[in-house]
């Protein structure tokens, strides 16, 4: 049995969305799919909280949204990373790495 | 950073104004998401309906997503506020009766406050129209040794020069005195008020002429003049060629060198010209040197960095130096000190107290209105218990409900403020006519700001308690218990507070009003000592150049009086130089040594009036003994005088005054008659002891005289009087004409205004209190219908029920009356100075007002109680 998917710690959803979008523009469902794929389903991203998060990021100007046609020719809202968003991604990713390293070293102590 | 900010603002604007579009976009996104998810599941082999179901499950509650999305848009608070406003609108529309009553009640309170504030703003708060007017002071002197010792007096010219030398504290000082002149440029000669001033007046005040210039110190004796804007417009058509032309004052020509801007009117609103100070002294040049001649007022500007206290200290030193020098400061002796006050305070002076009284009164009215409204809202909140409990059940927090109710209250208050502004502007039009010249009270920016602030405070004030009560979690419990009744004890407490507080507040106003009305009635009933009805008085100031000698002056008035006597409709005519209440009463100090040998230094201040023949009969002043002044008392015949009872009692307490000699300026007048006392200076008090001497025997040059005629229709006699004077001398203006009734009424004009206003407010308070008490009682009774029905069914009579219902109220009303009496004892001290004939703690008035209010309050509860007593028990029992 696959291990239970982990709940996202607070605040990291934004980081993940920015990272996914750094690889190219996507619509909301595609983002959710990608997250599921890449984390091999070990991250439980409640799909409902995705959209409020996307709009929040849009509000802050880190991602920009445009309506376009999806792969199967339906109207969908595509998001892409802005320049400010890219800078924010770098900042937050760095912070995350440092946090993770710090926690790891504490855990390693005998 | 800036980019983020920009993006936030743009998004929030979209969220505010395109809410619908954002919601629709989210809808579409979610729909797309579900379709994609279902399609993916179908691709993996899940059958179609199951795929959709699992997709929905995975997404979660759509409503929750939408709500979370909306919350994240950053405009939540504004959104909620907008929604609360919409609800408030709807709530108000749903109960129009309630809304109307509330708005009207509050509008009366807010409107009255706005009107009075507007007057306060115009009179007390508005700064003087001079730059840095807070630095302007006026200096007066206090002389020792005279009968008027202690009162502030005018300064002498040497005093003014000494003040000018205090360069550390004073940046500039000017001296001025005003006088009336006969102005004869225009077709119709008229009287004009001119200020004789030293050159620094204009720089000290900081106002420059709009054309031309002002005069300099070198021109103190020159016939030059600066005229007012009004005079420029009326006599010179606002023409710039007015410069260089002349105005003729008392037959002398003054060349116009400058025109002051519109609105400049110093020291009086009616000052139309400024001429050099030398013209105040040309009849008595020694005034420039002798400290005992006092004629000038001063205005000074504090030096930069100097304070009023610093000036006062410097003036103290100056006064001590003058006193030590022994120089005479008046004809009675030496010694002088100075007082300095801010110009602003001196101008406002008397008005402060009555205005603050009125302000206090309207505040009380507004308080009553607020208590009424708070109770109305409480009652309505009760009716909406269910609505609030349901809202709380679905998750609305207490703050959300409180906020909604406060928004409703603010709405009511703002609506009331709008209506109140209309009421106030109408009221101001009436009050405005009564304000002293030069002040206008209207609705300007400051007043609007005040009204808005008051509305907000009022709305919060009466709204907070009902809002807290309605959102009380205990309500939920009550709802669940199924009780439809009142939440017992708190309701009764609110009702009690209302009755007690409104009775107390209304009583304070009623007592004040009653005291003022009694004063007014007293004043009205005072016998002034003469008969003003039917009397017409005209003040005439002879042009000195045309009537230079005393015989000429006497001849003029004798001829005019003769002409007037022959007019149809005129029963009698006479002349006097200081008739009662004219403000022209001349006080003379005399040493009655001959009559009081044991007290030779004591001074007696006597009012001395020069009168023509028929004075007493025209004025209808009763002659108590002896005879009146007649035409036989001429220049050359025996000098005589008539005294009043007060003087007779003062000088000859146990003797007959007739035949006594020794009075008058030359000590040679014989008393030929005694008349009754007259209220010559003010209605409230009997004037000082008086003597009346024949005008024909006077050897003083005449300044101004009053001509009086008695007629059945005094107003209709005005044109005839003008014609008589004009035919005697066409170039002689009449300074003013008035019926004596108007003169007497002007004496208590301000008391009348205040009494009227406070009585109006007391009436308002009474009406509001009655409505409040009646409403609250009716509501309480309606809640007990069931209980009353049972009692009736069990045999209680109507009377018993009324007794039961009233019983509680009587106690509350009594408590309110007691509190009100206590408060009134303190509050009426504020109007003590206005009262005439009653003290501020007059027990009869207090008791009467309390009894009246108590009766009215009980009646207000009686009416709903009687209706309750006639309840049909069957109907009552059936009611839930």
């Amino acid at each position: 049995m696959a291990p239970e998917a982990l709940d996202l710690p607070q605040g990291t959803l934004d980081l993940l969305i920015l990272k996914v979008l750094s690889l190219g523009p996507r619509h909301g469902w595609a983002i959710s799919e990608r997250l599921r794929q890449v984390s091999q389903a070990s991250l439980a991203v409640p799909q409902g909280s995705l959209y409020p998060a996307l709009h929040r990021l849009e509000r802050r100007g880190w991602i920009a949204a445009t309506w376009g046609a999806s792969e199967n020719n339906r109207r969908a809202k595509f998001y892409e990373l802005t320049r400010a968003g890219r800078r924010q991604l770098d900042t937050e990713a760095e912070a995350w790495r440092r946090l993770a390293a710090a926690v790891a070293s504490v855990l390693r102590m005998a | 950073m800036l980019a983020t900010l920009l993006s936030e603002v743009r998004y929030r604007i979209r969220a505010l104004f395109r809410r619908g579009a954002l919601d629709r976009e989210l809808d579409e996104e979610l729909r797309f998401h579900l379709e994609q998810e279902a399609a993916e599941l179908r691709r993996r082999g899940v059958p179609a309906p199951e795929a959709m179901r699992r997709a929905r499950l995975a997404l979660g509650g759509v409503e929750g997503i939408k709500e979370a999305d909306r919350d994240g848009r950053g405009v939540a608070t504004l959104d909620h506020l907008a929604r609360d406003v919409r609800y408030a609108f709807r709530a108000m529309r749903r109960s129009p009766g309630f809304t109307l009553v509330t708005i009207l009640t509050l509008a009366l309170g807010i409107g009255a406050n706005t009107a009075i504030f507007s007057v306060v703003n115009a009179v007390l708060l508005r700064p003087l129209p001079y730059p840095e007017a807070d630095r302007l002071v006026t200096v007066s002197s206090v002389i020792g040794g005279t009968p008027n010792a202690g009162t502030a007096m005018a300064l002498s010219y040497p005093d003014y020069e000494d003040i000018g030398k205090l360069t550390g504290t004073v940046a500039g000082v000017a001296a001025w005195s005003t006088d009336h002149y006969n102005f004869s440029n225009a077709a119709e000669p008229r009287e004009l008020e001119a200020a004789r001033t030293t050159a620094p007046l204009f720089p000290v005040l900081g106002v420059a002429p709009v054309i031309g210039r002002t005069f300099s110190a070198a021109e103190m004796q020159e016939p030059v003049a600066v005229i007012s804007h009004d005079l420029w417009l009326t006599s010179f058509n606002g023409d710039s060629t007015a410069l260089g032309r002349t105005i003729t004052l008392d037959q002398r020509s003054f060349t116009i060198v400058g025109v002051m801007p519109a609105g400049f009117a110093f020291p009086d609103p009616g000052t139309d010209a400024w001429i050099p100070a030398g013209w105040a002294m040309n009849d008595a040049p020694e005034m420039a040197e002798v400290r005992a001649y006092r004629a000038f007022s001063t205005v000074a500007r504090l030096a930069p960095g100097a304070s009023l206290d610093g000036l006062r200290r410097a003036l103290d030193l100056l006064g001590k130096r003058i006193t030590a020098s022994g120089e005479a400061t008046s004809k009675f002796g030496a010694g002088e000190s100075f007082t300095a006050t801010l110009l602003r305070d001196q101008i406002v002076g008397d008005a402060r107290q009555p205005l603050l009284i009125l302000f206090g009164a309207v505040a009380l009215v507004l308080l009553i209105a607020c208590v009424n409204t708070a109770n109305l809202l409480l009652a309505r909140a009760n009716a909406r218990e269910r609505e609030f409990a349901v809202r709380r059940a679905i998750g609305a927090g207490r703050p959300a409900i409180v906020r909604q109710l406060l928004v409703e209250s603010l709405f009511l208050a703002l609506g009331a403020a709008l209506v109140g502004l209309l009421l106030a502007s109408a009221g101001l039009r009436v009050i405005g006519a009564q304000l002293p010249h030069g002040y206008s009270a209207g609705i300007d920016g400051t007043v609007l700001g005040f009204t808005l602030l008051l509305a907000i405070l009022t709305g919060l004030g009466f709204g907070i308690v009902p809002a807290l009560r309605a959102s009380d979690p205990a309500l939920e419990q009550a709802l669940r218990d199924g009780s439809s009744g009142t939440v017992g004890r708190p309701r009764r407490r609110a009702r009690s507070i209302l009755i007690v507080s409104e009775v107390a507040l209304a009583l304070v106003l009623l007592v004040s009003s009653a005291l003022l009305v009694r004063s007014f009635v007293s004043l009205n009933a005072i016998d002034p000592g003469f008969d003003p009805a039917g009397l017409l008085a005209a003040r005439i100031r002879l042009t000195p150049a045309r009537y230079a000698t005393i015989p000429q002056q006497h001849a003029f008035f004798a001829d005019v009086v003769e002409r007037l006597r022959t007019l149809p409709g005129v029963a009698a005519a006479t002349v006097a130089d200081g008739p009662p209440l004219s403000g022209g009463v001349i006080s003379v100090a005399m040493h009655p040594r001959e009559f009081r040998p044991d007290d030779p230094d004591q001074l007696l201040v006597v009012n001395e009036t020069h009168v023509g023949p028929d004075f007493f009969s025209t004025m209808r002043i009763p002659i108590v003994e002896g005879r009146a002044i007649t035409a036989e008392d001429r220049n050359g015949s025996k000098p005589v005088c008539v005294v009043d009872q007060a003087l007779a009692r003062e000088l000859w307490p146990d003797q007959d005054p007739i035949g006594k000699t020794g009075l008058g300026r030359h000590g040679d007048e014989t008393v030929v008659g005694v008349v009754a006392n007259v209220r010559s200076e003010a209605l409230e008090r009997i004037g000082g002891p008086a003597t009346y001497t024949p005008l024909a025997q006077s050897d003083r040059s005449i300044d101004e005289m009053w001509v009086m005629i008695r007629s059945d229709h005094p107003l209709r006699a005005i044109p005839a009087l003008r014609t008589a004077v004009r035919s005697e001398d066409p170039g002689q203006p009449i300074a003013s004409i008035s019926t004596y009734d108007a003169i007497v009424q002007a004496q208590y004009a301000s008391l009348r205004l205040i009494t009227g206003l406070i009585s109006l407010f007391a009436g308002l308070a009474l009406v509001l209190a009655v409505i409040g008490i009646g409403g609250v009682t009716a509501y309480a009774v309606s809640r007990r219908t069931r209980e009353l029905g049972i009692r009736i069914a069990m045999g209680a009579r109507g009377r018993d029920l009324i007794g039961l219902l009233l019983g509680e109220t009587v106690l509350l009303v009594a408590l309110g009356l007691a509190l009100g009496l206590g408060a009134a004892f303190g509050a009426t001290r504020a109007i003590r100075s206005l009262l005439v004939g009653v003290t501020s703690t007059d027990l009869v008035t207090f008791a009467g007002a309390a009894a009246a209010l108590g009766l009215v309050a009980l009646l207000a509860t009686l009416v709903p109680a009687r209706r309750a007593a006639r309840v049909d028990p069957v109907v009552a029992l059936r009611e839930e």
Side-chain angles (χ1 to χ4, degrees):
Chain A
M1 171 128 40
E4 283 269 329
L6 301 160
D7 282 329
L8 270 187
Q10 206 184 25
T12 46
L13 180 56
D14 288 1
L15 174 59
L16 297 178
I17 294 177
L18 288 176
K19 180 60 185 176
V20 168
L21 287 177
S22 75
L23 308 168
R26 278 162 211 264
H27 53 66
W29 184 78
I31 297 176
S32 140
E33 258 308 283
R34 191 85 176 113
L35 280 176
R36 214 185 349 214
Q37 284 174 6
V38 168
S39 71
Q40 285 147 8
S42 57
L43 277 184
V45 180
Q47 292 184 6
S49 56
L50 185 63
Y51 288 94
L54 281 169
H55 295 153
R56 213 173 34 241
L57 291 171
E58 185 189 350
R59 193 186 85 198
R60 311 209 63 178
W62 293 332
I63 62 182
T66 29
W67 285 90
S70 70
E71 311 79 46
N72 44 0
N73 242 336
R74 307 193 96 98
R75 215 169 99 90
K77 198 172 183 188
F78 285 81
Y79 295 91
E80 68 175 325
L81 201 60
T82 64
R83 228 193 350 222
R86 205 168 284 277
R87 278 200 300 271
Q88 183 67 15
L89 169 60
D90 291 337
T91 317
E92 277 196 43
E94 179 58 31
W96 176 261
R97 274 182 225 113
R98 287 219 307 263
L99 176 64
V103 171
S105 50
V106 170
L107 289 179
R108 243 178 296 154
M109 61 182 193
Chain B
M1 210 76 344
L2 187 59
T4 318
L5 190 62
L6 221 57
S7 173
E8 291 251 17
V9 169
R10 253 201 317 241
Y11 194 89
R12 281 177 207 236
I13 292 180
R14 261 191 88 204
L16 262 183
F17 297 107
R18 295 294 171 94
R19 192 184 300 114
L22 281 182
D23 285 343
R24 277 194 303 275
E25 283 189 8
L26 177 62
D27 252 349
E28 202 168 334
E29 264 192 297
L30 291 177
R31 235 181 313 133
F32 176 77
H33 182 107
L34 281 175
E35 281 170 9
Q36 295 292 96
E37 183 75 10
E40 176 65 21
L41 287 170
R42 281 198 308 273
R43 204 177 55 81
R44 299 211 208 124
V46 178
E50 178 67 13
M52 195 39 114
R53 194 184 69 82
R54 271 204 239 166
R56 276 197 221 275
L57 219 61
L59 186 59
V62 166
E63 281 311 315
I65 298 177
K66 285 193 183 163
E67 183 135 347
D69 195 66
R70 254 179 252 138
D71 280 345
R73 287 186 198 162
V75 291
T77 325
L78 272 169
D79 236 12
H80 293 157
L81 214 58
R83 188 185 55 199
D84 287 339
V85 169
R86 275 200 307 267
Y87 281 2
F89 243 145
R90 248 187 285 158
M92 278 168 66
R93 264 212 312 258
R94 245 187 294 141
S95 32
F98 166 83
T99 311
L100 203 63
V101 168
T102 316
I103 289 190
L104 274 179
T105 309
L106 289 171
L108 285 173
I110 296 184
N113 270 274
T114 300
I116 299 297
F117 176 80
S118 172
V119 177
V120 169
N121 186 40
V123 177
L124 292 184
L125 296 178
R126 192 164 291 160
L128 294 175
Y130 312 115
E132 289 185 60
D134 281 344
R135 309 284 297 162
L136 290 173
V137 297
T138 171
V139 178
S140 7
S141 70
V142 180
I143 312 280
T146 66
N148 295 321
T151 49
M153 302 196 76
L155 282 89
S156 62
Y157 198 80
D159 286 337
Y160 153 70
E161 288 179 315
D162 284 337
I163 294 176
K165 295 186 191 135
L166 300 173
T167 43
T169 39
V170 166
V173 59
W176 48 267
S177 83
T178 57
D179 201 1
H180 292 118
Y181 290 88
N182 288 338
F183 171 56
S184 47
N185 265 45
E188 178 84 18
R190 69 169 176 97
E191 196 186 58
L192 177 150
E193 182 186 306
R196 291 85 55 95
T197 171
T198 58
L201 179 72
F202 306 99
V204 161
L205 290 177
V207 183
V210 72
I211 61 172
R213 61 174 182 87
T214 62
F215 39 81
S216 67
E219 291 173 300
M220 278 296 107
Q221 319 270 20
E222 300 295 316
V224 291
V226 176
I227 62 174
S228 73
H229 200 90
D230 272 350
L231 186 61
W232 184 45
L233 289 178
T234 52
S235 294
F236 297 93
N237 282 321
D239 207 335
S240 55
T241 65
L243 292 183
R245 285 164 59 185
T246 61
I247 55 172
T248 310
L249 301 175
D250 277 358
Q251 309 282 97
R252 189 176 278 119
S253 292
F254 289 80
T255 310
I256 299 175
V257 296
V259 177
M260 295 308 285
F264 180 79
F266 187 90
D268 298 323
T271 308
D272 269 329
W274 293 265
I275 57 180
W279 295 102
M281 302 186 277
N282 63 342
D283 284 337
E286 59 273 23
M287 280 173 75
E289 315 282 322
V290 175
R291 212 180 277 273
Y293 283 107
R294 327 204 128 260
F296 292 101
S297 308
T298 55
V299 61
R301 185 174 281 277
L302 289 173
S307 69
L308 186 57
D309 282 331
L311 177 61
R312 285 183 176 140
R313 280 195 295 271
L315 288 172
D316 256 348
L317 289 174
L318 179 62
K320 289 200 175 82
R321 184 163 58 77
I322 294 176
T323 308
S325 75
E327 197 181 340
T329 51
S330 75
K331 68 180 180 197
F332 298 108
E336 180 170 18
S337 63
F338 295 98
T339 58
T341 36
L342 287 180
L343 185 66
R344 186 190 59 213
D345 291 338
Q346 195 229 26
I347 288 182
V348 157
D350 293 324
R352 182 170 286 139
Q353 194 212 21
L355 278 180
L356 292 179
I357 291 175
L358 286 175
F359 217 22
V362 284
L364 289 181
V365 172
L366 183 59
L367 212 55
I368 296 183
C370 283
V371 174
N372 266 7
T373 310
N375 255 267
L376 273 175
L377 283 179
L378 274 175
R380 257 191 85 220
N382 260 0
R384 293 162 78 184
E385 276 168 7
R386 212 168 270 270
E387 170 192 340
F388 296 130
V390 166
R391 277 198 73 185
R392 296 213 62 219
I394 58 170
R398 188 170 189 192
I401 298 188
V402 170
R403 190 182 56 219
Q404 182 200 338
L405 287 176
L406 280 181
V407 167
E408 283 181 24
S409 301
L410 281 174
F411 241 68
L412 285 172
L414 286 171
L418 279 173
V419 178
L421 277 173
L422 289 173
L423 290 175
S425 83
L428 278 174
R429 227 163 294 165
V430 172
I431 299 183
Q434 310 270 356
L435 286 178
H437 181 107
Y439 290 113
S440 62
I443 313 275
D444 66 4
T446 319
V447 175
L448 277 177
F450 168 82
T451 308
L452 185 64
L453 188 64
L454 190 65
I456 292 178
L457 286 176
T458 307
L460 289 176
F462 69 71
I464 190 72
V465 170
L468 287 176
R469 180 67 53 72
S471 57
D472 194 345
L475 275 187
E476 230 181 288
Q477 189 64 34
L479 195 66
R480 253 182 269 143
D481 288 349
S483 67
S484 71
T486 64
V487 190
R489 238 175 315 129
R491 275 297 295 156
R492 261 208 301 281
R493 196 152 31 110
R495 183 167 67 98
S496 314
I497 292 178
L498 177 140
I499 295 184
V500 170
S501 64
E502 291 200 358
V503 165
L505 290 171
L507 186 60
V508 171
L509 281 174
L510 274 173
V511 165
S512 309
S513 160
L515 286 174
L516 285 170
V517 167
R518 282 189 67 177
S519 298
F520 184 76
V521 168
S522 300
L523 259 189
N524 228 356
I526 289 181
D527 176 10
F530 62 98
D531 183 7
L535 267 183
L536 187 68
R539 180 168 65 90
I540 295 179
R541 199 191 142 273
L542 290 178
T543 310
R546 293 165 68 91
Y547 296 91
T549 67
I550 295 177
Q552 282 174 316
Q553 294 159 1
H554 288 180
F556 172 86
F557 284 108
D559 288 342
V560 167
V561 169
E562 196 52 46
R563 278 180 196 268
L564 289 171
R565 216 172 264 141
T566 59
L567 286 177
V570 172
T574 186
V575 62
D577 68 358
L581 299 178
S582 61
V585 169
I586 300 167
S587 304
V588 170
M590 50 180 275
H591 291 276
R593 274 196 206 92
E594 302 87 76
F595 317 107
R596 301 240 203 91
D598 44 334
D599 204 353
D601 286 324
Q602 201 210 31
L603 285 172
L604 187 60
V605 178
V606 171
N607 292 334
E608 184 184 67
T609 314
H610 294 100
V611 301
D614 296 336
F615 176 75
F616 299 105
S617 54
T618 308
M619 303 293 288
R620 294 208 186 137
I621 298 175
I623 301 177
V624 170
E625 228 194 300
R627 67 169 178 85
I629 309 277
T630 65
E632 307 303 308
D633 301 305
R634 279 189 286 266
N635 192 13
S637 49
K638 186 177 72 162
V640 297
C641 71
V642 169
V643 300
D644 70 349
Q645 289 171 309
L647 185 59
R649 200 171 330 143
E650 184 72 30
L651 293 182
W652 305 288
D654 303 310
Q655 307 164 51
D656 184 4
I658 308 284
K660 297 275 193 261
T661 60
L663 285 175
R665 220 169 287 268
H666 305 293
D668 58 355
E669 288 169 12
T670 310
V671 178
V672 296
V674 181
V675 292
N677 292 324
V678 165
R679 305 207 171 218
S680 49
E681 294 156 32
L683 271 184
E684 298 96 72
R685 55 181 190 279
I686 296 189
T691 70
Y692 302 88
T693 54
L695 177 63
Q697 290 181 346
S698 153
D699 57 2
R700 306 254 302 169
S701 190
I702 289 179
D703 189 16
E704 62 185 9
M705 299 286 282
W706 274 258
V707 169
M708 268 83 59
I709 61 179
R710 180 169 289 282
S711 147
D712 284 332
H713 299 282
L715 281 173
R716 288 199 222 149
I718 292 182
L721 193 150
R722 285 197 192 276
T723 312
V725 173
R726 209 178 303 128
S727 37
E728 180 68 24
D729 179 0
Q732 176 57 49
I734 298 179
S736 62
I737 299 187
S738 168
T739 62
Y740 238 98
D741 272 333
I743 293 178
V744 169
Q745 298 226 335
Q747 282 286 307
Y748 46 90
S750 75
L751 178 63
R752 188 175 341 123
L753 180 62
I754 294 188
T755 305
L757 283 176
I758 297 235
S759 302
L760 176 67
F761 299 147
L764 272 179
L766 190 62
V767 166
L768 287 175
V770 162
I771 293 180
I773 296 177
V776 147
T777 310
Y779 187 77
V781 159
S782 76
R783 292 307 218 145
R784 297 168 70 173
T785 326
R786 212 159 141 225
E787 170 202 343
L788 296 176
I790 294 177
R791 287 181 189 260
I792 294 181
M794 306 227 329
R797 288 167 306 169
R799 240 178 320 160
D800 301 326
L801 287 181
I802 294 181
L804 169 74
L805 292 167
L806 276 192
E808 315 160 347
T809 317
V810 166
L811 278 171
L812 292 171
V813 168
L815 182 61
L817 288 176
L819 284 176
L821 283 174
F825 262 107
T828 52
R829 281 174 53 196
I831 56 173
R832 190 182 287 166
S833 58
L834 296 170
L835 297 179
V836 172
V838 277
T839 60
S840 68
T841 52
D842 184 62
L843 286 177
V844 170
T845 315
F846 274 61
L853 180 59
L855 198 63
V856 169
L858 284 178
L859 279 176
T861 55
L862 193 67
V863 170
R866 283 189 66 198
R867 259 211 310 221
R870 288 196 234 116
V871 152
D872 182 351
V874 179
V875 170
L877 284 169
R878 239 188 294 151
E879 219 175 81
E880 204 343 358

